[in-house]
């Protein structure tokens, strides 16, 4: 290397060294995946079933959340999942001893993915252990249980978030934006159809003691919740009708098919269907006096498809649980405010409406809905 080349090389090195402090936040602290090093929400998954498998796989692409703990009643699952997701044995718990997470600094939050009737007691135990709670929907099987969960998490000063993955789905959010910006005009009608033919008659979803109900609790809640964020109002009344074709499969307290209608303060109405006995029902339709929006499929794992009076929706698909867990990490770690709420109060509102729907089915009479007022 001649003098001129050496001088040029030294000058370049000096310039690069001068720039290092400026480049560091962008490059030097990036992780192997190219993400910036920043706080990660360390999550223990509770209930290692089919849906937890989907969550766990999706979380491998998260930027702000990672799996650091496991809770299950099946030792084999703890062993296999621990190996797959690199969770050390000290961070694996069963349903009897998971209160010990209180003393585990590797865990910030627990994602409860167990049968509906277990959410209440498990949420309260996690809150008492001082960890944040992410709970699958429906958050509980009654309003009373939901209230106790909200109160327990407030008392423990931990977050309670409900697994409303559609609140972070891009096409859903685009329709929400259009409605909020008055691009569809005054909303007058919403239709939500949620259904499939359920299989194994011995599964927990058809057990009243574990599910707290039937199709309405499992998939009808998507239409209940969707009606609220699509219309942009809270319903004030409901009428409903239950249809049951097999009392052997759908025993007392386990609904097969429910049609329900919601009324809103503006005069808008919703017509919805929840069923465990009809396939190909996964559609939302929103009508305003200047436009419409439609999603079909609307709540499946994706990709969601949609169109509006302005044309097709083209937002890219990302695994819903990846988006959900990254967003929830930002809510917990940085107090971010989501476009559509996912906190315990949001889940509690749905429970009020679910109970009103069941009462309307039982009595045959219209039920008035009085939702709790937000805390000030």
């Amino acid at each position: 290397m001649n003098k001129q080349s050496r001088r040029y090389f030294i000058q370049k090195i000096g310039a690069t060294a001068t720039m290092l402090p400026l480049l560091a936040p962008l490059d030097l602290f990036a992780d192997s995946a190219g993400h910036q090093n920043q706080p990660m929400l360390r999550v223990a998954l509770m209930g290692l079933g089919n849906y937890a498998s989907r969550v766990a796989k999706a979380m491998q692409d998260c930027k702000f959340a990672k799996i650091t703990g496991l809770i299950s009643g099946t030792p084999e699952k703890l062993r296999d999942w621990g190996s797959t997701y690199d969770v050390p044995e000290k961070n694996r718990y069963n349903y009897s001893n998971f209160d010990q997470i209180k003393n585990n600094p590797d865990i910030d939050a627990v994602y409860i993915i167990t049968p509906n009737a277990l959410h209440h007691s498990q949420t309260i135990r996690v809150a008492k252990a001082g960890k944040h709670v992410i709970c699958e929907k429906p958050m509980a099987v009654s309003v009373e249980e939901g209230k106790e969960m909200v109160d327990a998490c407030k008392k423990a000063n931990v977050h309670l978030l409900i697994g409303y993955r559609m609140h972070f789905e891009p096409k859903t959010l685009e329709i929400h934006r259009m409605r909020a910006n008055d691009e569809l005009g005054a909303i007058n009608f919403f239709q939500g159809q949620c259904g499939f033919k359920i299989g194994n008659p011995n599964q927990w979803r058809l057990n009243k003691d574990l599910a707290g109900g039937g199709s309405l609790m499992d998939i009808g809640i998507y239409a209940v919740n969707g009606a609220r964020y699509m219309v942009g109002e809270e319903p004030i009344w409901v009428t409903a009708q239950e249809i049951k074709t097999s009392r052997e499969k759908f025993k007392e307290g386990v609904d097969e098919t429910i049609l329900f209608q919601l009324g809103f303060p503006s005069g808008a109405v919703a017509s919805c269907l929840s069923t465990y006995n009809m396939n190909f029902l996964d559609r939302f339709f929103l009508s305003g006096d200047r436009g419409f929006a439609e999603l079909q499929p609307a709540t499946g794992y994706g990709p969601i498809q949609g169109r509006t009076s302005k044309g097709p929706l083209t937002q890219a698909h990302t695994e819903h649980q990846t988006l959900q867990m990254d967003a929830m990490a930002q809510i917990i770690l940085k107090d971010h405010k989501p476009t559509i709420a996912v906190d315990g109060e949001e889940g509690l509102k749905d429970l009020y409406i679910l109970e009103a729907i069941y009462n309307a089915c039982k009595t045959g009479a219209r039920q008035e809905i009085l939702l709790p007022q937000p805390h000030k």
Side-chain angles (χ1 to χ4, degrees), residues 7-246:
R7 187 180 302 114
Y8 176 78
F9 178 74
I10 292 170
Q11 287 173 346
K12 291 293 288 183
I13 288 293
T16 301
T18 303
M19 289 296 292
L20 280 176
L22 300 176
L23 294 174
L26 297 177
D27 297 311
L28 294 185
F29 300 116
D31 62 25
S32 59
H35 305 139
Q36 305 310 310
N37 275 347
Q38 45 200 320
M40 296 281 283
L41 184 71
R42 298 164 298 182
V43 181
L45 300 181
M46 178 186 291
L48 307 182
N50 290 335
Y51 188 67
S53 295
R54 183 175 290 274
V55 171
K57 290 174 184 176
M59 285 185 67
Q60 302 315 295
D61 292 324
C62 281
K63 300 176 183 179
F64 310 113
K66 62 181 179 179
I67 301 168
T68 58
L70 300 168
I71 303 169
S72 173
T74 308
E76 293 78 14
K77 285 186 178 181
L78 288 172
R79 182 191 65 234
D80 295 344
W81 283 55
S83 175
T84 300
Y85 295 107
D86 195 26
V87 176
E89 192 169 350
K90 69 182 181 67
N91 291 359
R92 306 174 199 170
Y93 301 86
N94 59 45
Y95 294 125
S96 297
N97 68 9
F98 76 79
D99 307 271
Q100 294 174 15
I101 61 174
K102 179 176 183 178
N103 303 313
N104 191 333
D106 295 341
I107 296 171
D108 302 313
V110 176
Y111 193 167
I112 298 173
I113 316 176
T114 56
N116 306 337
L118 304 180
H119 294 174
H120 170 255
S121 62
Q122 290 169 344
T123 291
I124 290 174
R125 287 174 65 185
V126 171
K128 286 182 177 178
K131 305 299 182 179
H132 301 291
V133 180
I134 302 170
C135 181
E136 255 312 299
K137 57 83 195 157
M139 65 182 287
V141 298
S142 70
V143 167
E144 195 58 38
E145 284 191 356
K147 287 179 179 178
E148 291 175 359
M149 292 162 67
V150 169
D151 290 344
C153 289
K154 285 185 176 178
K155 181 177 180 181
N157 197 30
V158 297
H159 283 272
L160 171 58
L161 305 179
I162 313 303
Y164 290 119
R165 57 187 169 83
M166 303 313 298
H167 291 202
F168 309 103
E169 195 282 317
K171 293 182 177 72
T172 301
L173 287 174
E174 173 59 12
I175 294 176
H176 183 277
R177 184 200 65 77
M178 291 177 68
R179 190 267 305 154
N181 288 348
D182 199 33
E183 294 178 26
L184 303 177
I187 301 302
N188 46 55
F189 178 70
F190 171 81
Q191 185 178 53
Q193 299 171 335
C194 303
F196 64 91
K197 281 197 172 185
I198 199 165
N200 178 10
N202 298 316
Q203 63 181 284
W204 70 263
R205 288 177 178 81
L206 297 177
N207 181 332
K208 171 69 161 60
D209 292 337
L210 290 176
S215 71
L216 184 66
M217 298 291 282
D218 183 24
I219 53 173
I221 190 173
Y222 284 111
V224 169
N225 191 253
R228 295 175 50 230
Y229 63 70
M230 286 290 187
V231 174
E233 299 180 65
E234 301 294 3
I236 55 175
W237 60 259
V238 62
T239 55
Q241 307 80 38
E242 181 178 2
I243 301 165
K244 190 171 288 193
T245 63
S246 172

